[in-house]
Amino acid sequence: MNKLKTTLLILGSTLLMSACNDDDDPVSPMPVPPAPPAPPAMTEVRVIHASPDAPAVNILANGAAVEALAGLDYQAASGLLSLDAGEYTFVVDALLPGDQTASVITVEAMLEGEKEYNVLAVGDTASIEALLVVNDNTDVTEGNVRAQVVHAAPDAPTVDVYVTAVDADIEAEQPLATLAFKDFTPQVEIAAGDYQIRITPAGTKTVVFDSGSVTLSAGADLLISATENVATGMSPVKLLVADGSSSSKIMDVNTPAEVRAIHGIADAPAVDVLALPFDAAGVLLFDGAPFKGVTDYLAVEATDYILTVVADADNNVVAIDDVNLSLEAGVRYTALANNTLANADLDTIIDDGRRVATAALVRIFHASQATPGVDIYVTADGEIDNVDPAFTNVEYSTDMLAETGYVSLAAGDYVVTVTPTGTKTKAIETGVLSLEVNKIYTAIAVDGDMAGDAPQLILADDFIN
């Protein structure tokens, strides 16, 4: 019995000591948190607008508008945008009249990391599609330039592309590549320096595009798209150069400017327009242009000129003297004579000759010096009593003619009504104008034929063509 008590006492003491020892054990270390997930793989995307008759576009990625790609217009490329690798649906929305949009291209793609994806909108609007050009995202070798050429001009034939030393004899050269529409070269590295890019119909040495001397800088990584030329000159293409952050254009070295004249001075006779290039012989640009006359565009060398407007019947009678005019290659200009014979002005206006397949482009000028500020209405039937003007308080200016800019309208019948600002009194009403998409319409409000007459419109471009 005593032996049993002693055993129990020893056992209890042992358990108690064990419990006390457990309380004195050091605290177990905190668990180590898991390593953070690796950052997602990144990829780069660039969008290029190469559809010659398509309007400006917005780009959506997985249903969200990409701000950096808003309003991308023809012959423009975005910078390279960094995106998480993964599955994407890209939608190209064309910008239509009336702030409307229409989805014209949908591209579904699994974007891999460390890649460069170039999405080109190519073809005319009726057959527009996406051309995908994918490259590995790697560095350019030091001292070199890397370039890739894409044939993105739908109306151009299969071509040979030459990249040579400046002024090299093309007869002795071999083409870098032969490309049909939508073909593209691999990325090619060459030493940085000055080069000449020439394009010929495949199998010939007949040059239809000549860049002249072009400097390609070390480290540049270029995507060069041959796009359809919608400006001046005979070359069928213009090169769009995307460098990763922006884009620029290279035109044929022989590209001219184009200029036309519009006679908007009511009390002036028919006139001749003379041009004197600096340090060169003068030329007669336009002969016998009558009041309200609109000449055809004339291709001229892109240089600096002095213009003089004289009476057609007697060139000693000078209406406008010594107007400096600098013309740039690839640009169309209108020289618009306005005001009165005693205070004649010659305004130079830059014209946009690109027609789009989704809208009629309408542009209206206020060039009537006898008419105060006006409101301009564009309606379906000419009824303006309960309609707000499309343009308000457009005033005549001797500094720079007031204009509406190019306004996109849906195809249809319209009436243009001009009233003194703040009134519904009709100073000009056109009657019904049937406007078509893919056309440009220009109207210039000028003085009436005689002093005191109501103003009238000179119609140009597709109003008369």
Side-chain angles (χ1 to χ4, degrees):
M1 181 73 175
N2 290 335
K3 191 173 183 178
L4 177 60
K5 288 180 179 179
T6 300
T7 302
L8 291 173
L9 182 60
I10 294 170
L11 180 59
S13 299
T14 302
L15 292 173
L16 181 61
M17 291 176 64
S18 175
C20 290
N21 288 340
D22 286 344
D23 287 343
D24 291 339
D25 282 350
V27 177
S28 300
M30 294 292 292
V32 177
M42 301 300 293
T43 190
E44 292 185 320
V45 176
R46 171 167 48 203
V47 180
I48 298 170
H49 189 328
S51 178
D53 65 346
V57 298
N58 291 337
I59 312 298
L60 286 74
N62 289 344
V66 182
E67 184 176 352
L69 300 178
L72 189 68
D73 213 343
Y74 179 57
Q75 286 180 335
S78 73
L80 287 167
L81 306 178
S82 292
L83 298 176
D84 294 341
E87 190 171 349
Y88 285 84
T89 299
F90 294 99
V91 176
V92 178
D93 277 355
L95 303 183
L96 304 179
D99 296 326
Q100 301 297 307
T101 62
S103 297
V104 294
I105 296 176
T106 299
V107 178
E108 295 183 354
M110 176 62 73
L111 305 187
E112 301 177 17
E114 301 304 320
K115 295 282 188 181
E116 174 192 289
Y117 291 85
N118 298 283
V119 183
L120 291 86
V122 298
D124 295 323
T125 298
S127 57
I128 193 170
E129 60 180 305
L131 174 63
L132 197 60
V133 179
V134 184
N135 299 307
D136 291 331
N137 194 347
T138 59
D139 293 333
V140 179
T141 304
E142 185 175 355
N144 283 0
V145 58
R146 182 163 61 198
Q148 184 173 29
V149 181
V150 183
H151 186 330
D155 289 340
T158 300
V159 297
D160 290 337
V161 179
Y162 294 82
V163 180
T164 70
V166 177
D167 293 333
D169 181 3
I170 196 171
E171 295 291 343
E173 298 288 336
Q174 293 298 313
L176 171 71
T178 299
L179 303 176
F181 175 51
K182 297 190 290 187
D183 287 346
F184 51 89
T185 70
Q187 291 181 306
V188 177
E189 285 199 21
I190 55 177
D194 294 335
Y195 291 90
Q196 187 171 5
I197 304 170
R198 284 170 284 188
I199 297 174
T200 72
T204 79
K205 299 290 186 175
T206 303
V207 176
V208 296
F209 175 88
D210 182 353
S211 70
S213 179
V214 174
T215 299
L216 301 180
S217 301
D221 192 358
L222 308 176
L223 183 72
I224 303 174
S225 303
T227 59
E228 197 160 303
N229 178 26
V230 295
T232 68
M234 299 301 294
S235 177
V237 299
K238 182 181 292 186
L239 301 185
L240 174 62
V241 182
D243 63 8
S245 59
S246 61
S247 63
S248 58
K249 293 183 278 286
I250 300 175
M251 64 186 71
D252 183 85
V253 71
N254 298 308
T255 300
E258 288 184 356
V259 62
R260 68 177 174 183
I262 297 179
H263 184 340
I265 302 176
D267 63 345
V271 297
D272 297 341
V273 181
L274 309 176
L276 176 67
F278 293 167
D279 302 322
V283 294
L284 175 64
L285 285 182
F286 303 105
D287 184 17
F291 174 51
K292 296 183 288 188
V294 180
T295 72
D296 293 332
Y297 283 103
L298 179 67
V300 296
E301 180 186 0
T303 187
D304 295 328
Y305 293 87
I306 299 174
L307 294 187
T308 301
V309 180
V310 298
D312 176 57
D314 182 358
N315 282 184
N316 291 315
V317 178
V318 178
I320 302 174
D321 195 16
D322 292 347
V323 176
N324 292 333
L325 180 62
S326 295
L327 302 184
E328 297 182 13
V331 181
R332 292 186 175 94
Y333 300 86
T334 293
L336 174 53
N338 62 98
N339 210 332
T340 65
L341 182 58
N343 299 290
D345 286 329
L346 189 67
D347 286 88
T348 305
I349 300 158
I350 294 178
D351 301 327
D352 184 355
R354 188 174 82 91
R355 292 160 171 79
V356 298
T358 54
L361 300 180
V362 179
R363 191 185 193 191
I364 303 172
F365 288 88
H366 186 341
S368 173
Q369 59 82 35
T371 305
V374 297
D375 294 340
I376 301 174
Y377 296 81
V378 181
T379 62
D381 54 11
E383 295 298 325
I384 63 173
D385 288 345
N386 299 310
V387 178
D388 292 331
F391 305 94
T392 302
N393 197 24
V394 181
E395 295 187 334
Y396 177 77
S397 170
T398 57
D399 293 330
M400 180 178 294
L401 287 177
E403 61 161 300
T404 62
Y406 289 98
V407 179
S408 295
L409 296 177
D413 293 337
Y414 296 89
V415 176
V416 176
T417 306
V418 180
T419 72
T421 295
T423 78
K424 299 291 185 178
T425 304
K426 298 178 180 180
I428 299 175
E429 186 174 62
T430 61
V432 176
L433 303 172
S434 295
L435 306 184
E436 302 176 22
V437 297
N438 218 21
K439 291 185 180 294
I440 294 174
Y441 301 93
T442 300
I444 303 103
V446 297
D447 293 345
D449 289 340
M450 303 295 292
D453 287 353
Q456 57 188 320
L457 292 178
I458 299 174
L459 301 180
D461 296 317
D462 290 315
F463 275 132
I464 59 176
N465 292 339

